[in-house]
């Protein structure tokens, strides 16, 4: 169980090789089940369509997690899952149309809701003490960091898109 | 089996997430018009605020509902819960692969937009708040896990630089999704940058920041949801691959150099210089 006792072991979730595969597969399954009612609220899909879509996404996660565990070089599991999702849905794949049909109706915004719910519960007393110690100045700097990064990236992307298209 | 036992222990957490998720989703997307654009409040933001209020560390009386030790079990579940979401993003990138490749140069170069933080946040930290070497850790990057690892490796987390990066990390965990949702929805409705550029920029941070950001864009410009999701997802994937290197080889040396120019007399400047000499 992760309780952040000191700041030295406060290096969360960056390296996920330590996750036990069976536990992770079980937890992804639980999260997938939680997502079902949320999808029913967010979309016009039938229960069967939601079940099929979520099962398809679960399969993508499972393949990604297996690759993370068993391939000799390390990439974060989310990167593998993303790559598996891309590989399965490339236009030239024989099953691409069928697979995209399964998942295209799934609402991506509703999929992010459980994640943020866990995040709210996971805020620990250590994080609150870091916040109190750093104070409002770090908050202002942090907001400027986010705005600066976002606007910086958007400005470069916009410029390059204008030049190249 | 052990797997079943730990699930049995964590069930109150999953139950809270299920109930909070349903309530948040029922509230749906709420928009607040402001002068220059519209702020969109998304279900994921509601979910975060609700569980924050149920968190015994934040609101101690909640300890009767959820024991503090149990709340700690939610921490590893964050990365697990983002997985189906990331999978969905992948399946949106695949079909749009041609558009992604056409946008390749823009996607690659916008990774350098990370340096925008140095232009905006670093001067404020240095000259407005008179911060010391904390400003190096705080302003060199968006302070997600890979960036913390770099700072921890070079300076240690108990150093001034470590305090800076941890401060921004925690603020990002607490407020990052809100900042991204607000900035993205305002910029999308203000129509300064193209929606494709805004979508690419959504990928610069963590998965939940990307979710809030691309969600806000998709709500603001409903017709291009697939394109927004594909570009944001591709950019985020690229950030996993390149973000750490931009931070390590460009951003951190740059802020370190700037700091030495601005504050040549800071005694803290010496230590990393010595270790650099020792390693080169």
């Amino acid at each position: 169980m992760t309780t952040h006792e000191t700041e030295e072991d406060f290096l969360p979730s960056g390296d996920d090789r330590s996750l036990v595969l069976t536990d992770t597969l079980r937890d992804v399954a639980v999260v997938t089940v939680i997502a079902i009612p949320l999808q029913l609220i967010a979309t016009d899909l039938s229960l069967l369509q939601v079940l099929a879509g979520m099962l398809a996404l679960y399969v993508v996660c499972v393949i990604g997690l297996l690759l993370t565990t068993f391939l000799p070089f390390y990439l974060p599991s989310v990167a593998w899952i993303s790559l598996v999702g891309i590989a399965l849905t490339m236009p030239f794949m024989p099953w691409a149309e069928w697979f995209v049909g399964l998942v295209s109706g799934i609402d991506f915004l509703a999929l992010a809701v459980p994640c943020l719910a866990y995040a709210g519960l996971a805020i620990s007393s250590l994080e609150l003490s870091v916040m109190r110690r750093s104070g409002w100045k770090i908050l202002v700097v942090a907001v400027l960091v986010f705005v600066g990064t976002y606007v910086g990236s958007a400005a470069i992307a916009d410029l390059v898109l204008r030049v190249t298209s | 089996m052990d797997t079943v036992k730990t699930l049995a222990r964590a069930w109150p957490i999953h139950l809270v997430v299920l109930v909070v998720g349903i309530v948040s989703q029922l509230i749906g997307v709420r928009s607040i018009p402001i002068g220059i654009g519209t702020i969109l409040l998304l279900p994921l933001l509601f979910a975060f605020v609700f569980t924050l209020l149920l968190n015994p560390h934040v609101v101690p009386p909640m300890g009767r509902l959820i024991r503090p030790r149990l709340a700690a079990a939610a921490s590893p579940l964050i990365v697990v819960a983002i997985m189906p979401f990331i999978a969905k993003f992948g399946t949106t990138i695949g079909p749009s692969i041609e558009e992604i490749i056409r946008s390749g140069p823009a996607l690659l170069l916008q990774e350098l937009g990370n340096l925008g933080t140095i232009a905006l946040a670093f001067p404020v930290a240095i000259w407005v708040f008179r911060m010391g070497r904390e400003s190096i850790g705080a302003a060199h990057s968006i302070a997600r896990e890979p960036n913390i690892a770099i700072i921890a490796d070079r300076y240690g987390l108990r150093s001034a630089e470590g305090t800076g990066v941890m401060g921004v990390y925690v603020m990002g965990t607490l407020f990052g999704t809100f900042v991204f949702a607000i900035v993205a929805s305002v910029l999308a409705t203000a129509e300064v940058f193209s929606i494709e550029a805004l979508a690419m920029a959504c990928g610069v941070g963590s998965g939940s920041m990307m979710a809030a950001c691309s969600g806000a864009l998709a709500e603001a410009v409903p017709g291009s949801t697939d394109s927004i999701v594909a570009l944001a997802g591709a950019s985020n994937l690229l950030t996993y691959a390149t973000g750490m290197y931009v931070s390590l080889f460009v951003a951190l040396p740059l802020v370190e150099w700037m700091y030495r120019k601005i504050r040549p007399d800071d005694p803290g400047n010496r230590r990393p210089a010595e270790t650099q000499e020792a390693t080169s």
Side-chain angles (χ1 to χ4, degrees):
Chain A
M1 202 170 286
T2 7
T3 34
H4 304 308
E5 300 289 337
T6 66
E7 252 165 79
E8 294 304 325
D9 53 44
F10 189 70
L11 267 178
S13 61
D15 186 343
D16 41 17
R17 271 170 297 189
S18 57
L19 296 180
V20 181
L21 182 64
T22 51
D23 287 5
T24 310
L25 292 178
R26 174 205 65 203
D27 290 340
V28 179
V30 172
V31 170
T32 305
V33 171
I34 291 176
I36 293 169
L38 304 186
Q39 288 299 325
L40 288 172
I41 299 169
T43 65
D44 300 326
L45 301 179
S46 69
L47 178 61
L48 205 65
Q49 286 169 313
V50 170
L51 288 175
M54 290 311 300
L55 184 66
L57 291 180
Y58 182 67
V59 170
V60 174
C61 294
V62 171
I63 301 173
L65 286 166
L66 291 174
L67 291 174
T68 312
T69 313
F70 294 112
L71 285 190
F73 53 96
Y74 175 70
L75 212 58
S77 52
V78 278
W80 275 121
I81 290 167
S82 191
L83 289 172
V84 171
I86 295 171
L88 284 176
T89 53
M90 295 278 228
F92 52 81
M93 288 293 184
W95 54 74
E97 208 171 315
W98 169 75
F99 199 85
V100 172
L102 287 180
V103 294
S104 63
I106 297 291
D107 184 85
F108 80 99
L109 208 46
L111 276 182
V113 169
C115 177
L116 269 291
Y118 288 109
L121 283 176
I123 298 294
S124 66
S125 41
L126 186 81
E127 272 149 327
L128 294 175
S129 78
V130 168
M131 187 180 78
R132 270 189 224 107
R133 210 164 356 112
S134 310
W136 62 272
K137 287 181 182 175
I138 280 283
L139 174 62
V140 176
V141 172
V143 170
L144 293 176
V145 164
F146 303 141
V147 175
T149 309
Y150 185 66
V151 175
S153 290
I156 293 178
D158 198 69
L159 191 73
V160 179
L161 283 174
R162 268 173 221 271
V163 173
T164 54
S165 62
Chain B
M1 231 181 100
D2 206 34
T3 308
V4 181
K5 243 185 275 167
T6 46
L7 174 65
R9 236 185 292 136
W11 74 266
I13 292 200
H14 296 303
L15 187 66
V16 167
V17 169
L18 177 66
V19 173
V20 165
I22 290 175
V23 171
S24 309
Q25 199 61 54
L26 285 172
I27 297 174
V29 180
R30 303 275 154 158
S31 54
I32 306 170
I34 56 166
I36 43 168
T38 308
I39 293 177
L40 296 166
L41 298 177
L42 307 170
L44 57 103
L45 298 179
F46 296 128
F48 185 64
V49 172
F50 291 152
T51 49
L52 213 51
L53 294 176
L54 291 168
N55 184 324
H57 296 292
V58 183
V59 184
M62 288 300 164
R64 267 173 292 167
L65 190 72
I66 306 160
R67 278 177 295 118
R69 278 208 46 201
L70 197 59
S75 178
L77 291 170
I78 303 171
V79 67
V80 170
I82 201 83
M83 286 173 186
F85 172 82
I86 297 287
K88 163 74 182 169
F89 264 71
T91 62
T92 317
I93 298 172
S96 331
I97 196 73
E98 280 177 36
E99 185 189 358
I100 303 284
I101 291 170
R102 251 186 289 125
S103 325
L107 266 174
L108 277 173
L109 286 169
Q110 60 87 29
E111 289 292 316
L112 292 171
N114 285 326
L115 303 178
T117 172
I118 298 173
L120 195 62
F122 191 64
V124 173
I126 288 272
W127 283 303
V128 181
F129 294 142
R130 315 290 309 163
M131 284 163 68
R133 293 184 62 85
E134 289 88 351
S135 52
I136 294 176
H140 89 284
S141 76
I142 196 158
R144 298 335 289 162
E145 286 83 1
N147 313 112
I148 297 180
I150 290 170
I151 295 288
D153 184 52
R154 180 159 297 186
Y155 307 99
L157 281 185
R158 287 180 195 283
S159 62
E161 297 86 348
T163 308
V165 76
M166 286 312 297
V168 176
Y169 174 77
V170 169
M171 295 302 177
T173 306
L174 288 168
F175 308 109
T177 46
F178 294 90
V179 175
F180 270 86
I182 291 168
V183 175
S185 51
V186 169
L187 283 178
T189 42
E191 294 178 357
V192 182
F193 300 118
S194 72
I195 194 74
E196 289 82 11
L198 290 174
M200 287 181 199
C202 283
V204 294
S206 66
S208 42
M209 289 174 184
M210 172 177 71
C213 180
S214 48
L217 291 183
E219 288 296 328
V221 191
S224 4
T225 304
D226 275 359
S227 161
I228 290 167
V229 170
L231 289 170
S235 158
N236 195 235
L237 184 61
L238 212 57
T239 301
Y240 286 117
T242 64
M244 192 162 160
Y245 300 102
V246 172
S247 174
L248 184 61
F249 294 118
V250 186
L252 193 54
L254 185 63
V255 280
E256 179 74 49
W257 177 80
M258 284 165 74
Y259 188 84
R260 281 157 191 277
K261 287 279 167 209
I262 297 164
R263 302 260 171 83
D265 301 326
D266 189 328
N269 286 348
R270 246 178 295 139
R271 191 179 40 82
E274 279 160 13
T275 52
Q276 266 165 20
E277 273 161 24
T279 52
S280 63

